[in-house]
């Protein structure tokens, strides 16, 4: 399993970023090799469609699972098309969330908010 | 004569000024370019004569032609395309109809299709032709509606076109003032008002438009927007008082120039001042 997680800092002990499209980095954690790779979120400063571009990064890095606090409809549509499983983050660190997922204790995320298109300008 | 009325924020009195300017003219065309929240029609209550749908072009993929080169994905600066399962996904709502993906695709896998984004309503209220642009909720941009609204509008000095702009100083406002002969900036008497006035001041200066300021909601206290105008040597066209009588009439969607002699005189005098400014500009720049 290759898990993607939005994070503010390159640190497994820090919290998951509540933002998806505009987070600083994505952690890609491979549960078989225990390998962690941090990838910069190039969608961060997009004027629009950040969720779509961020989701593209998740797809292109070959994740099959994502843990997020919340997701927009467009990002969710990209991830669902790529058959990526979406789980809802719990309070706690990145490590706590990975643990919880491996023990099958995370719920799937299936409520997706509408976009903020243009309303944040 | 095309007069654009704009302000750096909403709620300063753009519609108040636009509606009343059109109302005191012998005849006029009023165009509501605030397509996200058009409200001029509430005052004019026009009889609707016709409606026109506004469409934009969005890309449509023929998956059998796509070879998965991703050129379209890399090109799209609006992030309206995602590449999943070896083909692009198109997000209609995010697409700005630039047509770039259609051009860069080496396989001609994209064609263009019409998408409805809103409409234009054309009506009549006494001697005012009332044009209202309406953008559907969730659409990326109202600019195509504004282009439709502003196209082919005949105007004379006696029959001015009054353009009620959207708030702010973004692309949609630039599009609204593009063909204006004169810009009227409406400002509130607060520090925040000055900040917003400065935004549109910079915009009209950049566009080299002749302009003047209407100070709205004026109190006896010091008016930071007035000080700003005096400092920058900007022409003050009119001062509208902070007046409960005006507020009440306006909140009841009445046209104050029709209901009060005082305001009829104020807006007639404003229209005269603007007309003189425009005639002066025409003479000096022709």
């Amino acid at each position: 399993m290759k898990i993607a997680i939005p994070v503010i800092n390159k640190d497994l002990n820090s919290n998951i970023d509540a933002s998806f499209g505009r987070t600083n980095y994505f952690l890609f954690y491979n549960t078989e090799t225990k390998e962690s790779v941090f990838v910069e979120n190039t969608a961060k400063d997009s004027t629009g469609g950040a969720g779509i571009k961020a989701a593209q990064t998740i797809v292109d890095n070959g994740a099959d699972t994502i843990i997020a606090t919340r997701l927009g409809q467009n990002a969710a549509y990209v991830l669902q098309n790529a058959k990526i499983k979406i789980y809802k983050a719990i309070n706690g660190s990145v490590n706590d969330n990975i643990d919880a997922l491996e023990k099958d204790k995370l719920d799937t995320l299936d409520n997706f908010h509408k976009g903020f298109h243009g309303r944040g300008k | 004569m095309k007069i654009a009325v704009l302000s750096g924020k909403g709620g300063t009195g753009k519609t108040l000024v636009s509606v009343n300017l059109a109302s005191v003219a012998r005849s006029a065309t009023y165009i509501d370019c605030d397509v996200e929240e058009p409200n001029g029609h509430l005052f004019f209550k026009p009889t609707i004569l016709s409606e026109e749908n506004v469409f934009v072009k969005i890309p449509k993929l023929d998956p059998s032609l796509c070879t998965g080169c991703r050129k379209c994905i890399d090109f799209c600066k609006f992030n309206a395309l995602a590449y999943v399962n070896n083909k692009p996904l198109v997000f209609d709502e995010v697409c700005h109809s630039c047509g770039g993906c259609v051009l860069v695709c080496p396989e001609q896998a994209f064609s263009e299709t019409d998408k409805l984004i809103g409409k234009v309503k054309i009506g009549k209220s006494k001697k005012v032709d009332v044009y209202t642009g309406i953008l559907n909720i969730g659409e990326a941009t109202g600019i195509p509606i504004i282009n439709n609204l502003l196209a082919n509008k005949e105007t004379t000095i006696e029959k001015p076109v009054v353009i009620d702009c959207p708030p702010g100083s973004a692309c949609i406002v630039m599009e609204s003032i593009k063909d204006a002969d004169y810009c009227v900036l409406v400002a509130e008497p607060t520090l925040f008002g000055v900040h917003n006035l400065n935004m549109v001041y910079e915009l009209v200066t950049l566009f080299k438009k002749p302009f003047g300021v209407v100070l709205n909601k004026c109190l006896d206290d010091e008016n930071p927007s007035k000080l700003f105008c005096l400092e920058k040597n900007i022409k003050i066209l009119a001062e509208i008082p902070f007046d409960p009588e005006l507020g009440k009439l306006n909140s009841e969607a009445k046209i104050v120039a029709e209901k009060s002699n005082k305001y009829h005189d104020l807006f007639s005098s404003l229209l005269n001042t603007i007309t003189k400014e425009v005639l002066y500009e025409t003479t000096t720049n022709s």
Side-chain angles (χ1 to χ4, degrees), chain A residues 22 44-49 114-121, chain B residues 36 140 170:
Chain A
R22 299 191 186 276
K44 190 172 181 279
D45 299 319
S46 304
T47 47
K114 290 197 170 183
F116 304 119
H117 313 136
R119 287 190 280 286
K121 70 191 164 192
Chain B
E36 289 181 29

Side-chain angles (χ1 to χ4, degrees), chain B residues 121-180:
Chain B
K121 282 189 181 182
I122 303 159
K124 186 96 185 163
S125 169
K126 296 179 197 160
K127 61 225 161 84
V128 182
D129 298 331
V130 180
Y131 289 76
T132 305
I134 303 159
L135 178 69
N136 292 342
I137 289 169
E139 293 304 337
T141 170
I143 287 173
I145 295 181
I146 292 188
N147 286 334
N148 181 304
L149 280 168
L150 297 179
N152 314 318
K153 292 292 170 294
E154 299 215 343
T155 179
T156 58
I157 283 287
E158 288 76 31
K159 191 183 178 186
V161 170
V162 183
I163 304 163
D164 192 355
C165 296
S169 54
C171 307
I172 197 160
V173 180
M174 299 182 200
E175 208 65 35
S176 305
I177 68 166
K178 206 172 54 185
D179 297 323

